Amino acid sequence: MCGRYVILSPPEAMRQAFGYAEQPNFPPRYNIAPTQPIPVVILENGGRHFRLMRWGLLPAWVEDPRQFALLINARAETVVDKPAFKNAMKRRRCLLPADGYYEWHQSEGRKRPFFIRPRNGGLIAFAGLSETWVGPNGEELDTVAIVTTAAHGGLSTLHPRVPVTIAPADHARWLDGDAIDAGEAMPLLRAPEDGEFVWHEVSTRVNRVANDDEQLILPISAEQAEAEATNAGKKSVPRKAAPVVSGDDGQGSLF
């Protein structure tokens, strides 16, 4: 799956890489989380455009968002069949710029966070599906989900799922729902090649959405990871369970 990711590239570098018309300005983000507004590249009226959308797709047919589970990921194997995604797969495919992402690996009785990035560095593009939800009073909310697929090779040792990344040569095919139908786009939904990404363990500080700084992506040693696990085990103050996230709770802002 993909539940947190980062955008480190300067705005102008991202604009040149994806070729959209707008000139947005924003700082690096080291801990982007679901329900936050995120950069999305779409094809509209023959040109590429930058949009901010809420991470967590709401299908157009949802009546009450509060009663609908947050859809941050869409499984590649079922996007052409699932009611929540099939219309978006046909006409509203998009790209999500990123420089890397986090994954949690269950090991030694705890979940250990890892930062995953392209071996050669630089921007990547997650495959996305978007929907505009219209409320009873006419309010509109642009929402998006990241497409994932089964992992293979080394990445499968961390987690059984990975976000789909679309190669630059395939950006146009993925974005153009008019020229390339859903069936023709399906072969693009594949896992990265073995060795395409590298990863290292990072601090559990990334678990907290409020933490958003460059220290999050730095590798930590086995001793540091063990110390964090020990300190976490010593905390015995009871805490109330967090409510299930099912809507836009206003977590942070891209800008």
Side-chain angles (χ1 to χ4, degrees):
M1 64 173 293
C2 181
R4 301 282 180 86
Y5 71 99
V6 305
I7 297 177
L8 310 179
S9 295
E12 184 57 27
M14 201 162 85
R15 179 173 178 263
Q16 290 182 7
F18 289 91
Y20 46 75
E22 294 74 20
Q23 300 184 45
N25 186 29
F26 47 84
R29 289 293 311 277
Y30 294 89
N31 200 6
I32 298 172
T35 75
Q36 293 179 347
I38 59 175
V40 176
V41 180
I42 64 170
L43 184 68
E44 186 176 72
N45 298 323
R48 296 185 188 182
H49 296 277
F50 174 101
R51 295 287 185 270
L52 285 180
M53 298 187 185
R54 191 199 71 164
W55 186 7
L57 186 139
L58 272 179
W61 42 261
V62 170
E63 295 183 1
D64 186 354
R66 295 170 298 180
Q67 303 300 319
F68 191 79
L70 196 67
L71 300 176
I72 66 170
N73 293 153
R75 295 176 68 92
E77 298 87 341
T78 56
V79 288
V80 295
D81 301 315
K82 288 287 186 180
F85 303 118
K86 64 180 183 180
N87 289 332
M89 182 63 187
K90 292 177 182 177
R91 290 288 182 266
R92 289 176 291 278
R93 302 192 297 264
C94 56
L95 297 169
L96 284 72
D99 287 272
Y101 68 101
Y102 300 100
E103 193 55 82
W104 281 256
H105 176 61
Q106 186 73 35
S107 174
E108 300 173 356
R110 59 190 176 92
K111 288 188 175 181
R112 301 161 55 192
F114 287 78
F115 178 59
I116 303 167
R117 63 173 179 82
R119 178 177 296 276
N120 297 322
L123 277 160
I124 54 177
F126 295 142
L129 301 175
S130 70
E131 280 284 5
T132 298
W133 179 80
V134 181
N137 298 318
E139 65 272 28
E140 294 186 355
L141 180 64
D142 293 327
T143 66
V144 66
I146 295 173
V147 182
T148 69
T149 191
H152 66 78
L155 277 173
S156 65
T157 64
L158 290 182
H159 196 277
R161 307 288 299 178
V162 291
V164 171
T165 52
I166 304 295
D170 294 321
H171 285 182
R173 291 178 61 203
W174 176 253
L175 289 172
D176 196 342
D178 291 329
I180 308 296
D181 65 27
E184 292 175 294
M186 282 297 291
L188 300 178
L189 301 181
R190 54 182 180 266
E193 296 296 328
D194 200 20
E196 190 174 339
F197 283 79
V198 294
W199 55 89
H200 57 257
E201 188 169 2
V202 296
S203 170
T204 53
R205 290 184 62 244
V206 73
N207 295 352
R208 189 164 183 263
V209 174
N211 294 328
D212 190 349
D213 58 75
E214 61 186 7
Q215 300 296 315
L216 296 182
I217 65 173
L218 297 181
I220 63 171
S221 65
E223 291 77 13
Q224 290 172 314
E226 185 61 34
E228 287 190 345
T230 300
N231 291 335
K234 291 179 180 178
K235 295 179 180 179
S236 58
V237 178
R239 300 175 64 184
K240 293 182 179 180
V244 176
V245 177
S246 60
D248 187 357
D249 63 359
Q251 286 189 52
S253 168
L254 176 68
F255 303 108

